[in-house]
Amino acid sequence: MKYFIGNWKMFGVPKSINILNKINYFHSKDKNCKKYRIVFTPPYTLIETYAKHFKKKRILIGSQNCYQKEQFSSNTAAVSSYMIRSVGAKYTLVGHSDNRSEGDTDEILKNKVFFALKNKLKVVFCIGENKKQKKNNKTFNVLKKQLTKVLDKKLNMNDIIVAYEPIWSIGSGKIPTKDELKETIIFIKKVLKRISGKNSFKVLYGGSVDGSSVEIFKQIREIDGFLIGGASKSSKKFIDIIKNYYR
Ligand code: 13P
């Protein structure tokens, strides 16, 4: 099963549901539809309406983040996994570089993952190196640390998907080479195996995925899907990614 996950970031109002309706229609007619799953993470403001609307349809709804405490707390503007789950979300991203750069430490992320799983959300755990770390050949060290500091075998690893998003690639149009990316995805799977003792994991790629870059990514069979930012805000661009992937 491959994943195509659209992360809207700070985008969307109620009527933006039209974008997802078109993608839902495409999926319902696509002969390859059994091979992949579509998830969208709109902002908090839209989760409930969208989750209700797509309840019996093809698109699953998730959250872009969740708070590090359990149910309710006195933290202004915080939204817990419990609250997210209660309005119908099935997934949550954790550890997106946008949130890491705003202060999400490994300790915080550990709590977020723990409470998300406890509240029956599947976790898309994001990792990735920055430009300087890449330049200094630190990519594998950074990724290994990001994984081992947060994940451990006591967690239900079956409900965790890892998304490798090199920070320098997000929104830049720059992508890793095919060999680099293949090697990195294999490395991540090896680390995950060491952490959990299990054999099979879903590892996605994110960073400037669009209809043309996917032609390269699809040659790497170890990639289990994509976390898509910019191109997920247009039904045509998102559908093009899926079409070109299965062409
Ligand atoms: P882009 O697809 O716009 O590069 O964003 C990737 C991303 O950050 C998804 O979470």
Side-chain angles (χ1 to χ4, degrees), residues 7 9 93 96-98 126 165 169-172 206-209 227-231:
N7 176 16
K9 308 187 184 183
L93 308 184
H96 193 282
S97 58
D98 290 341
C126 307
E165 298 205 296
S169 170
I170 296 175
S172 67
S208 298
V209 178
L227 183 52
I228 303 154

Side-chain angles (χ1 to χ4, degrees), residues 199-223:
N199 258 325
S200 101
F201 293 99
K202 297 286 181 199
V203 178
L204 318 183
Y205 170 77
S208 298
V209 178
D210 60 22
S212 75
S213 63
V214 81
E215 301 277 1
I216 298 165
F217 304 136
K218 76 178 185 186
Q219 300 168 35
I220 308 170
R221 70 178 163 77
E222 289 84 0
I223 297 180

Side-chain angles (χ1 to χ4, degrees), residues 140 143 164 177-190 220 222:
F140 282 12
L143 299 179
Y164 169 55
T177 65
K178 200 178 129 192
D179 289 347
E180 233 170 34
L181 186 52
K182 186 180 163 91
E183 212 188 322
T184 310
I185 300 282
I186 291 173
F187 174 77
I188 293 168
K189 290 191 173 181
K190 241 186 232 160
I220 308 170
E222 289 84 0

Side-chain angles (χ1 to χ4, degrees), residues 1 3 7 24-25 37 40 52-54 62 83 91 97 100 152 168 178 198 205 210 221 230-231 234 241 247:
M1 178 67 70
Y3 287 80
N7 176 16
N24 184 70
Y25 179 76
R37 182 166 293 166
F40 267 82
K52 261 191 196 138
H53 180 80
F54 288 108
M83 292 153 82
Y91 287 78
S97 58
R100 288 179 187 265
D152 70 65
W168 51 270
K178 200 178 129 192
K198 287 189 182 134
Y205 170 77
D210 60 22
R221 70 178 163 77
S234 140
I241 293 172
R247 202 156 49 136

